[in-house]
PDB file of all heavy atoms in Angstrom:
ATOM      1  N   LYS A1667      81.255 109.546  91.992  1.00 84.00           N
ATOM      2  CA  LYS A1667      81.953 109.392  93.357  1.00 84.00           C
ATOM      3  C   LYS A1667      81.540 108.070  94.060  1.00 84.00           C
ATOM      4  O   LYS A1667      82.405 107.459  94.653  1.00 84.00           O
ATOM      5  CB  LYS A1667      81.637 110.586  94.292  1.00 84.00           C
ATOM      6  CG  LYS A1667      82.743 111.687  94.217  1.00 84.00           C
ATOM      7  CD  LYS A1667      82.820 112.542  95.434  1.00 84.00           C
ATOM      8  CE  LYS A1667      84.074 113.292  95.422  1.00 84.00           C
ATOM      9  NZ  LYS A1667      84.001 114.513  96.165  1.00 84.00           N
ATOM     10  N   THR A1668      80.371 107.697  93.882  1.00 84.00           N
ATOM     11  CA  THR A1668      79.942 106.457  94.568  1.00 84.00           C
ATOM     12  C   THR A1668      80.542 105.185  93.983  1.00 84.00           C
ATOM     13  O   THR A1668      80.949 104.231  94.706  1.00 84.00           O
ATOM     14  CB  THR A1668      78.480 106.374  94.669  1.00 84.00           C
ATOM     15  OG1 THR A1668      77.813 107.601  95.081  1.00 84.00           O
ATOM     16  CG2 THR A1668      77.913 105.240  95.494  1.00 84.00           C
ATOM     17  N   LEU A1669      80.705 105.245  92.677  1.00 83.00           N
ATOM     18  CA  LEU A1669      81.393 104.127  91.998  1.00 83.00           C
ATOM     19  C   LEU A1669      82.854 103.960  92.518  1.00 83.00           C
ATOM     20  O   LEU A1669      83.394 103.021  92.673  1.00 83.00           O
ATOM     21  CB  LEU A1669      81.253 104.401  90.530  1.00 83.00           C
ATOM     22  CG  LEU A1669      81.149 103.059  89.663  1.00 83.00           C
ATOM     23  CD1 LEU A1669      79.974 102.374  90.034  1.00 83.00           C
ATOM     24  CD2 LEU A1669      81.261 103.362  88.301  1.00 83.00           C
ATOM     25  N   TYR A1670      83.479 105.289  92.710  1.00 81.00           N
ATOM     26  CA  TYR A1670      84.739 105.336  93.232  1.00 81.00           C
ATOM     27  C   TYR A1670      84.782 104.695  94.631  1.00 81.00           C
ATOM     28  O   TYR A1670      85.664 103.967  94.849  1.00 81.00           O
ATOM     29  CB  TYR A1670      85.103 106.815  93.286  1.00 81.00           C
ATOM     30  CG  TYR A1670      86.483 107.115  93.943  1.00 81.00           C
ATOM     31  CD1 TYR A1670      87.656 106.719  93.380  1.00 81.00           C
ATOM     32  CD2 TYR A1670      86.557 107.738  95.124  1.00 81.00           C
ATOM     33  CE1 TYR A1670      88.819 107.010  93.928  1.00 81.00           C
ATOM     34  CE2 TYR A1670      87.737 108.032  95.733  1.00 81.00           C
ATOM     35  CZ  TYR A1670      88.985 107.698  95.160  1.00 81.00           C
ATOM     36  OH  TYR A1670      90.080 107.982  95.702  1.00 81.00           O
ATOM     37  N   LEU A1671      83.744 104.894  95.454  1.00 76.00           N
ATOM     38  CA  LEU A1671      83.624 104.235  96.713  1.00 76.00           C
ATOM     39  C   LEU A1671      83.629 102.709  96.513  1.00 76.00           C
ATOM     40  O   LEU A1671      84.384 102.116  97.346  1.00 76.00           O
ATOM     41  CB  LEU A1671      82.287 104.690  97.391  1.00 76.00           C
ATOM     42  CG  LEU A1671      81.680 103.907  98.448  1.00 76.00           C
ATOM     43  CD1 LEU A1671      82.622 103.988  99.765  1.00 76.00           C
ATOM     44  CD2 LEU A1671      80.326 104.224  98.829  1.00 76.00           C
ATOM     45  N   PHE A1672      82.867 102.234  95.638  1.00 77.00           N
ATOM     46  CA  PHE A1672      82.747 100.776  95.529  1.00 77.00           C
ATOM     47  C   PHE A1672      84.013 100.245  95.220  1.00 77.00           C
ATOM     48  O   PHE A1672      84.530  99.188  95.732  1.00 77.00           O
ATOM     49  CB  PHE A1672      81.740 100.472  94.350  1.00 77.00           C
ATOM     50  CG  PHE A1672      80.341 100.319  94.859  1.00 77.00           C
ATOM     51  CD1 PHE A1672      79.776 101.061  96.059  1.00 77.00           C
ATOM     52  CD2 PHE A1672      79.489  99.578  94.148  1.00 77.00           C
ATOM     53  CE1 PHE A1672      78.561 100.979  96.386  1.00 77.00           C
ATOM     54  CE2 PHE A1672      78.118  99.494  94.525  1.00 77.00           C
ATOM     55  CZ  PHE A1672      77.616 100.205  95.651  1.00 77.00           C
ATOM     56  N   TYR A1673      84.831 100.954  94.293  1.00 80.00           N
ATOM     57  CA  TYR A1673      86.211 100.333  93.835  1.00 80.00           C
ATOM     58  C   TYR A1673      87.025 100.391  95.004  1.00 80.00           C
ATOM     59  O   TYR A1673      87.917  99.509  95.255  1.00 80.00           O
ATOM     60  CB  TYR A1673      86.599 101.154  92.613  1.00 80.00           C
ATOM     61  CG  TYR A1673      85.872 101.092  91.418  1.00 80.00           C
ATOM     62  CD1 TYR A1673      85.726 102.152  90.574  1.00 80.00           C
ATOM     63  CD2 TYR A1673      85.276  99.873  91.132  1.00 80.00           C
ATOM     64  CE1 TYR A1673      84.962 102.080  89.377  1.00 80.00           C
ATOM     65  CE2 TYR A1673      84.479  99.760  89.865  1.00 80.00           C
ATOM     66  CZ  TYR A1673      84.369 100.819  89.086  1.00 80.00           C
ATOM     67  OH  TYR A1673      83.608 100.769  87.950  1.00 80.00           O
ATOM     68  N   ARG A1674      86.978 101.526  95.703  1.00 77.00           N
ATOM     69  CA  ARG A1674      87.954 101.568  96.928  1.00 77.00           C
ATOM     70  C   ARG A1674      87.592 100.531  98.026  1.00 77.00           C
ATOM     71  O   ARG A1674      88.601  99.955  98.479  1.00 77.00           O
ATOM     72  CB  ARG A1674      87.761 103.027  97.508  1.00 77.00           C
ATOM     73  CG  ARG A1674      88.437 104.145  96.872  1.00 77.00           C
ATOM     74  CD  ARG A1674      89.961 103.958  96.983  1.00 77.00           C
ATOM     75  NE  ARG A1674      90.383 104.084  98.449  1.00 77.00           N
ATOM     76  CZ  ARG A1674      90.763 105.155  98.953  1.00 77.00           C
ATOM     77  NH1 ARG A1674      90.726 106.303  98.429  1.00 77.00           N
ATOM     78  NH2 ARG A1674      91.116 105.104 100.176  1.00 77.00           N
ATOM     79  N   VAL A1675      86.360 100.393  98.266  1.00 75.00           N
ATOM     80  CA  VAL A1675      85.974  99.289  99.304  1.00 75.00           C
ATOM     81  C   VAL A1675      86.425  97.966  98.805  1.00 75.00           C
ATOM     82  O   VAL A1675      86.948  97.127  99.595  1.00 75.00           O
ATOM     83  CB  VAL A1675      84.390  99.379  99.487  1.00 75.00           C
ATOM     84  CG1 VAL A1675      84.014  98.069 100.264  1.00 75.00           C
ATOM     85  CG2 VAL A1675      83.995 100.538 100.223  1.00 75.00           C
ATOM     86  N   GLU A1676      86.214  97.662  97.548  1.00 77.00           N
ATOM     87  CA  GLU A1676      86.629  96.369  96.995  1.00 77.00           C
ATOM     88  C   GLU A1676      88.153  96.177  97.127  1.00 77.00           C
ATOM     89  O   GLU A1676      88.592  95.096  97.442  1.00 77.00           O
ATOM     90  CB  GLU A1676      86.167  96.289  95.551  1.00 77.00           C
ATOM     91  CG  GLU A1676      86.115  94.781  95.043  1.00 77.00           C
ATOM     92  CD  GLU A1676      85.515  94.717  93.620  1.00 77.00           C
ATOM     93  OE1 GLU A1676      85.435  95.721  92.961  1.00 77.00           O
ATOM     94  OE2 GLU A1676      85.185  93.592  93.272  1.00 77.00           O
ATOM     95  N   ASP A1677      88.840  97.247  96.770  1.00 77.00           N
ATOM     96  CA  ASP A1677      90.316  97.186  96.737  1.00 77.00           C
ATOM     97  C   ASP A1677      90.781  97.020  98.218  1.00 77.00           C
ATOM     98  O   ASP A1677      91.695  96.317  98.481  1.00 77.00           O
ATOM     99  CB  ASP A1677      90.942  98.406  96.043  1.00 77.00           C
ATOM    100  CG  ASP A1677      92.286  98.302  95.729  1.00 77.00           C
ATOM    101  OD1 ASP A1677      92.550  97.302  95.172  1.00 77.00           O
ATOM    102  OD2 ASP A1677      93.213  99.070  96.239  1.00 77.00           O
ATOM    103  N   GLN A1678      90.079  97.750  99.191  1.00 73.00           N
ATOM    104  CA  GLN A1678      90.447  97.658 100.452  1.00 73.00           C
ATOM    105  C   GLN A1678      90.320  96.230 100.978  1.00 73.00           C
ATOM    106  O   GLN A1678      91.171  95.692 101.759  1.00 73.00           O
ATOM    107  CB  GLN A1678      89.560  98.563 101.299  1.00 73.00           C
ATOM    108  CG  GLN A1678      90.071  98.993 102.651  1.00 73.00           C
ATOM    109  CD  GLN A1678      90.932 100.256 102.468  1.00 73.00           C
ATOM    110  OE1 GLN A1678      91.640 100.360 101.608  1.00 73.00           O
ATOM    111  NE2 GLN A1678      90.656 101.196 103.362  1.00 73.00           N
ATOM    112  N   LEU A1679      89.127  95.715 100.738  1.00 72.00           N
ATOM    113  CA  LEU A1679      88.871  94.247 101.178  1.00 72.00           C
ATOM    114  C   LEU A1679      89.897  93.378 100.591  1.00 72.00           C
ATOM    115  O   LEU A1679      90.434  92.397 101.308  1.00 72.00           O
ATOM    116  CB  LEU A1679      87.485  93.741 100.827  1.00 72.00           C
ATOM    117  CG  LEU A1679      86.353  94.289 101.631  1.00 72.00           C
ATOM    118  CD1 LEU A1679      85.018  93.817 101.014  1.00 72.00           C
ATOM    119  CD2 LEU A1679      86.448  93.774 103.074  1.00 72.00           C
ATOM    120  N   ARG A1680      90.184  93.524  99.253  1.00 76.00           N
ATOM    121  CA  ARG A1680      91.130  92.648  98.657  1.00 76.00           C
ATOM    122  C   ARG A1680      92.539  92.797  99.301  1.00 76.00           C
ATOM    123  O   ARG A1680      93.146  91.663  99.621  1.00 76.00           O
ATOM    124  CB  ARG A1680      91.168  92.959  97.146  1.00 76.00           C
ATOM    125  CG  ARG A1680      92.053  92.079  96.299  1.00 76.00           C
ATOM    126  CD  ARG A1680      92.049  92.596  94.863  1.00 76.00           C
ATOM    127  NE  ARG A1680      93.170  92.019  94.112  1.00 76.00           N
ATOM    128  CZ  ARG A1680      94.401  92.497  94.158  1.00 76.00           C
ATOM    129  NH1 ARG A1680      94.730  93.529  94.874  1.00 76.00           N
ATOM    130  NH2 ARG A1680      95.372  91.815  93.506  1.00 76.00           N
ATOM    131  N   ARG A1681      92.886  93.981  99.605  1.00 75.00           N
ATOM    132  CA  ARG A1681      94.226  94.127 100.211  1.00 75.00           C
ATOM    133  C   ARG A1681      94.236  93.572 101.642  1.00 75.00           C
ATOM    134  O   ARG A1681      95.276  93.114 102.089  1.00 75.00           O
ATOM    135  CB  ARG A1681      94.628  95.612 100.125  1.00 75.00           C
ATOM    136  CG  ARG A1681      95.101  96.027  98.745  1.00 75.00           C
ATOM    137  CD  ARG A1681      95.744  97.413  98.706  1.00 75.00           C
ATOM    138  NE  ARG A1681      94.657  98.439  98.927  1.00 75.00           N
ATOM    139  CZ  ARG A1681      94.886  99.478  99.490  1.00 75.00           C
ATOM    140  NH1 ARG A1681      96.029  99.768  99.934  1.00 75.00           N
ATOM    141  NH2 ARG A1681      93.936 100.420  99.627  1.00 75.00           N
ATOM    142  N   TYR A1682      93.111  93.696 102.272  1.00 73.00           N
ATOM    143  CA  TYR A1682      93.115  93.243 103.653  1.00 73.00           C
ATOM    144  C   TYR A1682      93.249  91.714 103.724  1.00 73.00           C
ATOM    145  O   TYR A1682      94.109  91.209 104.466  1.00 73.00           O
ATOM    146  CB  TYR A1682      91.765  93.581 104.352  1.00 73.00           C
ATOM    147  CG  TYR A1682      91.546  92.876 105.730  1.00 73.00           C
ATOM    148  CD1 TYR A1682      92.297  93.219 106.817  1.00 73.00           C
ATOM    149  CD2 TYR A1682      90.716  91.670 105.750  1.00 73.00           C
ATOM    150  CE1 TYR A1682      92.145  92.541 108.001  1.00 73.00           C
ATOM    151  CE2 TYR A1682      90.588  91.082 107.000  1.00 73.00           C
ATOM    152  CZ  TYR A1682      91.391  91.544 108.007  1.00 73.00           C
ATOM    153  OH  TYR A1682      91.213  90.773 109.264  1.00 73.00           O
ATOM    154  N   PHE A1683      92.546  91.008 102.891  1.00 76.00           N
ATOM    155  CA  PHE A1683      92.650  89.616 102.856  1.00 76.00           C
ATOM    156  C   PHE A1683      94.037  89.136 102.315  1.00 76.00           C
ATOM    157  O   PHE A1683      94.551  88.127 102.781  1.00 76.00           O
ATOM    158  CB  PHE A1683      91.463  88.956 102.098  1.00 76.00           C
ATOM    159  CG  PHE A1683      90.184  89.048 102.773  1.00 76.00           C
ATOM    160  CD1 PHE A1683      89.118  89.778 102.214  1.00 76.00           C
ATOM    161  CD2 PHE A1683      90.000  88.434 103.960  1.00 76.00           C
ATOM    162  CE1 PHE A1683      87.905  89.906 102.923  1.00 76.00           C
ATOM    163  CE2 PHE A1683      88.847  88.571 104.681  1.00 76.00           C
ATOM    164  CZ  PHE A1683      87.730  89.258 104.154  1.00 76.00           C
ATOM    165  N   GLN A1684      94.532  89.883 101.433  1.00 74.00           N
ATOM    166  CA  GLN A1684      95.940  89.566 100.933  1.00 74.00           C
ATOM    167  C   GLN A1684      96.957  89.723 102.052  1.00 74.00           C
ATOM    168  O   GLN A1684      97.762  88.976 102.300  1.00 74.00           O
ATOM    169  CB  GLN A1684      96.305  90.479  99.801  1.00 74.00           C
ATOM    170  CG  GLN A1684      95.809  90.100  98.381  1.00 74.00           C
ATOM    171  CD  GLN A1684      96.429  90.901  97.392  1.00 74.00           C
ATOM    172  OE1 GLN A1684      96.951  92.002  97.538  1.00 74.00           O
ATOM    173  NE2 GLN A1684      96.410  90.381  96.116  1.00 74.00           N
ATOM    174  N   GLY A1685      96.646  90.875 102.803  1.00 77.00           N
ATOM    175  CA  GLY A1685      97.510  91.136 103.881  1.00 77.00           C
ATOM    176  C   GLY A1685      97.465  90.054 104.922  1.00 77.00           C
ATOM    177  O   GLY A1685      98.370  89.638 105.557  1.00 77.00           O
ATOM    178  N   LEU A1686      96.254  89.639 105.205  1.00 78.00           N
ATOM    179  CA  LEU A1686      96.054  88.528 106.218  1.00 78.00           C
ATOM    180  C   LEU A1686      96.655  87.209 105.767  1.00 78.00           C
ATOM    181  O   LEU A1686      97.353  86.508 106.570  1.00 78.00           O
ATOM    182  CB  LEU A1686      94.573  88.200 106.400  1.00 78.00           C
ATOM    183  CG  LEU A1686      94.120  87.420 107.571  1.00 78.00           C
ATOM    184  CD1 LEU A1686      94.504  88.172 108.804  1.00 78.00           C
ATOM    185  CD2 LEU A1686      92.600  87.171 107.493  1.00 78.00           C
ATOM    186  N   MET A1687      96.593  86.980 104.450  1.00 80.00           N
ATOM    187  CA  MET A1687      97.282  85.700 104.005  1.00 80.00           C
ATOM    188  C   MET A1687      98.779  85.853 104.137  1.00 80.00           C
ATOM    189  O   MET A1687      99.382  84.906 104.503  1.00 80.00           O
ATOM    190  CB  MET A1687      96.917  85.456 102.468  1.00 80.00           C
ATOM    191  CG  MET A1687      95.429  85.034 102.269  1.00 80.00           C
ATOM    192  SD  MET A1687      94.946  83.622 103.154  1.00 80.00           S
ATOM    193  CE  MET A1687      93.501  84.200 103.935  1.00 80.00           C
ATOM    194  N   ALA A1688      99.295  87.142 103.749  1.00 81.00           N
ATOM    195  CA  ALA A1688     100.728  87.327 103.907  1.00 81.00           C
ATOM    196  C   ALA A1688     101.159  87.186 105.287  1.00 81.00           C
ATOM    197  O   ALA A1688     102.284  86.505 105.610  1.00 81.00           O
ATOM    198  CB  ALA A1688     101.087  88.636 103.287  1.00 81.00           C
ATOM    199  N   LEU A1689     100.410  87.724 106.231  1.00 82.00           N
ATOM    200  CA  LEU A1689     100.712  87.703 107.658  1.00 82.00           C
ATOM    201  C   LEU A1689     100.730  86.218 108.094  1.00 82.00           C
ATOM    202  O   LEU A1689     101.643  85.782 108.831  1.00 82.00           O
ATOM    203  CB  LEU A1689      99.691  88.456 108.471  1.00 82.00           C
ATOM    204  CG  LEU A1689      99.905  88.622 109.873  1.00 82.00           C
ATOM    205  CD1 LEU A1689     101.198  89.490 110.244  1.00 82.00           C
ATOM    206  CD2 LEU A1689      98.698  89.252 110.609  1.00 82.00           C
ATOM    207  N   THR A1690      99.726  85.429 107.713  1.00 85.00           N
ATOM    208  CA  THR A1690      99.710  83.960 108.116  1.00 85.00           C
ATOM    209  C   THR A1690     100.938  83.254 107.627  1.00 85.00           C
ATOM    210  O   THR A1690     101.521  82.457 108.317  1.00 85.00           O
ATOM    211  CB  THR A1690      98.438  83.395 107.551  1.00 85.00           C
ATOM    212  OG1 THR A1690      97.282  84.237 108.003  1.00 85.00           O
ATOM    213  CG2 THR A1690      98.173  82.030 108.148  1.00 85.00           C
ATOM    214  N   PHE A1691     101.255  83.541 106.345  1.00 87.00           N
ATOM    215  CA  PHE A1691     102.390  82.912 105.806  1.00 87.00           C
ATOM    216  C   PHE A1691     103.766  83.207 106.541  1.00 87.00           C
ATOM    217  O   PHE A1691     104.527  82.332 106.842  1.00 87.00           O
ATOM    218  CB  PHE A1691     102.495  83.258 104.244  1.00 87.00           C
ATOM    219  CG  PHE A1691     103.707  82.732 103.696  1.00 87.00           C
ATOM    220  CD1 PHE A1691     103.883  81.465 103.242  1.00 87.00           C
ATOM    221  CD2 PHE A1691     104.889  83.658 103.383  1.00 87.00           C
ATOM    222  CE1 PHE A1691     104.999  80.962 102.647  1.00 87.00           C
ATOM    223  CE2 PHE A1691     106.079  83.115 102.806  1.00 87.00           C
ATOM    224  CZ  PHE A1691     106.102  81.787 102.452  1.00 87.00           C
ATOM    225  N   LEU A1692     103.856  84.492 106.854  1.00 88.00           N
ATOM    226  CA  LEU A1692     105.089  84.970 107.620  1.00 88.00           C
ATOM    227  C   LEU A1692     105.157  84.271 108.936  1.00 88.00           C
ATOM    228  O   LEU A1692     106.148  83.843 109.407  1.00 88.00           O
ATOM    229  CB  LEU A1692     105.161  86.550 107.698  1.00 88.00           C
ATOM    230  CG  LEU A1692     105.426  87.207 106.469  1.00 88.00           C
ATOM    231  CD1 LEU A1692     105.084  88.687 106.636  1.00 88.00           C
ATOM    232  CD2 LEU A1692     106.844  87.052 106.011  1.00 88.00           C
TER     233      LEU A1692
END
Side-chain angles (χ1 to χ4, degrees):
Chain A
K1667 261 201 166 160
T1668 310
L1669 213 60
Y1670 174 68
L1671 158 73
F1672 272 26
Y1673 295 143
R1674 283 290 300 267
V1675 167
E1676 199 176 17
D1677 194 53
Q1678 201 88 315
L1679 279 176
R1680 183 180 165 278
R1681 283 188 290 147
Y1682 170 75
F1683 288 117
Q1684 277 189 344
L1686 193 63
M1687 293 300 128
L1689 185 67
T1690 308
F1691 174 75
L1692 286 169

